Amino acid sequence: MAKFLPLLFLFTYYILSVHCRPHRNNCHNVIFNVLDFGASGNGCTDDTQAFDDAWNATCKSKGQSATLRVPSGYTFSVQPLVFKGRCKSNVKVVIDGDLIAPRKPSVWDCDGKECRHWISFYHVDGLQISGSGTIDGQGTKWWTSYCKNKDNHCKKPTGFIIENSNNVHISGLTFKDSPQMQIAFERSTWVYADSLTISAPGDSPNTDGIHIQHSKHIFIDQSRIGTGDDCVSIGDGSSHINISNIQCGPGHGISIGSLGKDGMHETVEFVHVRDVEFSGTSNGVRIKTWQGGRGYARNIVFENIKTHNAQKPIIIDQYYCDHRTCKNHTSAVKVSNVRYSNIHGTSSLDTAVELACSEAAPCTDIYMNDVVIYSTKHRSQTSSVCLNVKGRQDGEIFPRVPCLT
Ligand SMILES: *[C@@H]1O[C@H](CO)[C@@H](O)[C@H](O)[C@H]1NC(C)=O
Ligand SMILES: *[C@@H]1O[C@H](CO)[C@@H](O)[C@H](O)[C@H]1NC(C)=O
Ligand SMILES: *[C@@H]1O[C@H](CO)[C@@H](O)[C@H](O)[C@H]1NC(C)=O
């Protein structure tokens, strides 16, 4: 081994000198290409080790910034990867090539544990991820054969997750067919996601586009999302979430919740959703909470929304239940200060507006301004349902929502 060390140094020096031409005084950005770490990129060979090694080199690199490069024209087959910080400089990851997960659930290498994620970034502050590549979870087999029975508690991996990281930018990439959620942001702050394309078939189970949990200051802009579950779902502990310029469908719409399962105290606030188009989705903008929960969903704005053939364009459901019946309780997650402005389009079901609030904690400060939703069905009129709602309305409202004054 010892006699190869000089060679190793030479090699390292070669990589640095080729990719980092010192500019004037110091080296600003060092590039680590996965091919230089032994990745084959032929779509079959397992390239996991090369990615691990390239990440380690990138993360340890000192200087202003370091880039992990996944070049175009290659397909890299990788097992679950954890890119761990904390890194020595600002790290960029440029993914122009394609990444694929193992196709068969049985060959996923999960260290004997459940596979929770496929690609994760953990504790990487200042991370920038960009590129024109596709991140393909190849989840078909997970959806169809593996854990079909919901009761066996088997966990399917999330495709791509940013955890415990601050100041993250992610842009340009395509995500598809993750076994479960496509992308998740958890316990992170100041995450900017834009120009993403996220897709999974409309009938694939639990394949939410982007899931947000315990995170603050999240911006999602200019993206096209179509999946088998929510395009964006906003879970407990989320606040200051801005979602704009999204095309959603197929899917279940943009959802806050579900909150308050099993009596949990859960909170979401300061959510701003604007300029979104829903096409053929089951819901449009939705807030869902369980009976018996505590906490709140408040200070929420949905504006400039278009719906084409969505089943329920506007819905608050405080009786959320994922099996046949759930008991009613005397506590609920409190929903207040929700504004619906400039929402136009069509609904494929008659009930275009459903505000089903809890008796225990009525919804308050619900405000609608210019909401007009017609039926896609010939000669059919849309209608609304209101239960335990207090609020007001302005401008043109159709269907009529009599509970708002
Ligand atoms: C990467 O670095 C970490 C921490 O230094 C180490 O524990 C891990 O084994 C390294 N991984 C590889 C693939 O070298
Ligand atoms: C983000 O949402 C907040 C409301 O929660 C709003 O005041 C702010 O203007 C929004 N920012 C952007 C950039 O849209
Ligand atoms: C719970 O309350 C709602 C609204 O009053 C009602 O429609 C529903 O039937 C009740 N569910 C049960 C299980 O009692």
Side-chain angles (χ1 to χ4, degrees):
M1 181 66 211
K3 68 177 177 187
F4 290 116
L5 272 178
L7 216 60
L8 194 67
F9 282 126
L10 208 65
F11 180 62
T12 309
Y13 175 75
Y14 167 73
I15 291 175
L16 297 183
S17 59
V18 166
H19 296 295
C20 168
R21 293 188 185 89
H23 203 67
R24 302 220 173 95
N25 304 321
N26 55 357
C27 206
H28 292 295
N29 184 23
V30 190
I31 297 174
F32 299 92
N33 187 328
V34 292
L35 294 177
D36 295 332
F37 289 83
S40 79
N42 63 10
C44 333
T45 311
D46 180 356
D47 287 328
T48 311
Q49 188 64 48
F51 275 70
D52 276 342
D53 293 345
W55 172 259
N56 266 13
T58 309
C59 191
K60 277 184 194 144
S61 169
K62 291 176 185 156
Q64 228 167 55
S65 69
T67 299
L68 174 71
R69 180 159 190 75
V70 180
S72 65
Y74 298 88
T75 300
F76 300 93
S77 172
V78 292
Q79 289 284 350
L81 288 169
V82 183
F83 297 119
K84 263 197 196 127
R86 310 159 184 264
C87 299
K88 296 266 190 314
S89 63
N90 287 324
V91 168
K92 294 181 188 158
V93 177
V94 179
I95 304 175
D96 289 323
D98 298 335
L99 301 186
I100 54 173
R103 194 182 288 276
K104 278 202 211 147
S106 61
V107 306
W108 277 58
D109 175 9
C110 305
D111 279 339
K113 300 178 300 246
E114 282 181 314
C115 285
R116 289 176 55 237
H117 312 127
W118 177 35
I119 295 174
S120 50
F121 288 88
Y122 187 73
H123 272 301
V124 190
D125 293 348
L127 174 67
Q128 291 185 41
I129 307 172
S130 63
S132 55
T134 295
I135 296 182
D136 182 353
Q138 304 210 99
T140 317
K141 290 246 161 44
W142 290 92
W143 309 328
T144 53
S145 54
Y146 194 74
C147 11
K148 213 170 191 175
N149 180 359
K150 254 192 163 175
D151 298 332
N152 69 5
H153 294 294
C154 105
K155 270 274 189 200
K156 294 179 234 172
T158 292
F160 190 94
I161 183 164
I162 308 282
E163 286 183 284
N164 295 71
S165 300
N166 307 309
N167 243 311
V168 175
H169 290 244
I170 171 166
S171 173
L173 294 161
T174 297
F175 294 84
K176 64 185 285 213
D177 295 350
S178 163
Q180 208 219 130
M181 294 167 190
Q182 312 290 308
I183 298 179
F185 300 137
E186 289 194 10
R187 296 181 302 280
S188 293
T189 65
W190 299 104
V191 178
Y192 300 83
D194 75 87
S195 313
L196 304 181
T197 304
I198 303 172
S199 70
D203 60 358
S204 57
N206 305 114
T207 50
D208 301 66
I210 301 179
H211 178 68
I212 302 164
Q213 188 96 5
H214 299 295
S215 293
K216 281 183 187 146
H217 302 290
I218 308 294
F219 298 79
I220 301 170
D221 189 30
Q222 292 286 356
S223 296
R224 184 187 286 267
I225 307 174
T227 69
D229 208 307
D230 296 326
C231 287
V232 181
S233 61
I234 302 166
D236 178 39
S238 304
S239 70
H240 299 91
I241 310 296
N242 291 51
I243 297 171
S244 50
N245 300 301
I246 305 293
Q247 293 190 350
C248 167
H252 297 178
I254 292 183
S255 296
I256 293 174
S258 55
L259 301 176
K261 192 178 185 179
D262 300 328
M264 297 284 276
H265 182 279
E266 298 192 324
T267 64
V268 169
E269 67 178 331
F270 297 111
V271 176
H272 197 134
V273 177
R274 66 171 171 86
D275 300 295
V276 174
E277 220 172 308
F278 294 101
S279 302
T281 50
S282 53
N283 307 289
V285 292
R286 171 165 68 158
I287 298 173
K288 53 177 174 172
T289 70
W290 295 77
Q291 282 287 305
R294 290 166 304 124
Y296 53 79
R298 67 191 184 196
N299 305 327
I300 295 160
V301 177
F302 298 110
E303 66 181 343
N304 309 341
I305 309 284
K306 287 201 171 71
T307 70
H308 308 287
N309 208 28
Q311 288 176 14
K312 293 187 177 176
I314 295 178
I315 172 167
I316 296 178
D317 180 7
Q318 293 219 278
Y319 298 90
Y320 184 71
C321 183
D322 65 357
H323 41 282
R324 192 168 295 167
T325 45
C326 294
K327 267 201 192 147
N328 286 341
H329 290 270
T330 51
S331 71
V333 175
K334 167 90 178 161
V335 175
S336 66
N337 192 14
V338 183
R339 178 158 70 86
Y340 300 91
S341 284
N342 189 21
I343 300 186
H344 289 87
T346 58
S347 163
S348 61
L349 296 182
D350 294 340
T351 307
V353 176
E354 182 175 322
L355 307 176
C357 297
S358 164
E359 209 171 318
C363 298
T364 54
D365 284 313
I366 306 301
Y367 176 63
M368 281 191 189
N369 176 28
D370 287 323
V371 173
V372 179
I373 301 164
Y374 294 113
S375 175
T376 19
K377 286 186 272 175
H378 259 316
R379 279 196 277 263
S380 194
Q381 292 246 349
T382 51
S383 59
S384 70
V385 169
C386 268
L387 202 59
N388 308 311
V389 181
K390 289 192 181 107
R392 57 196 185 87
Q393 56 178 290
D394 256 332
E396 194 183 357
I397 304 287
F398 188 85
R400 286 181 56 245
V401 185
C403 57
L404 304 178
T405 55

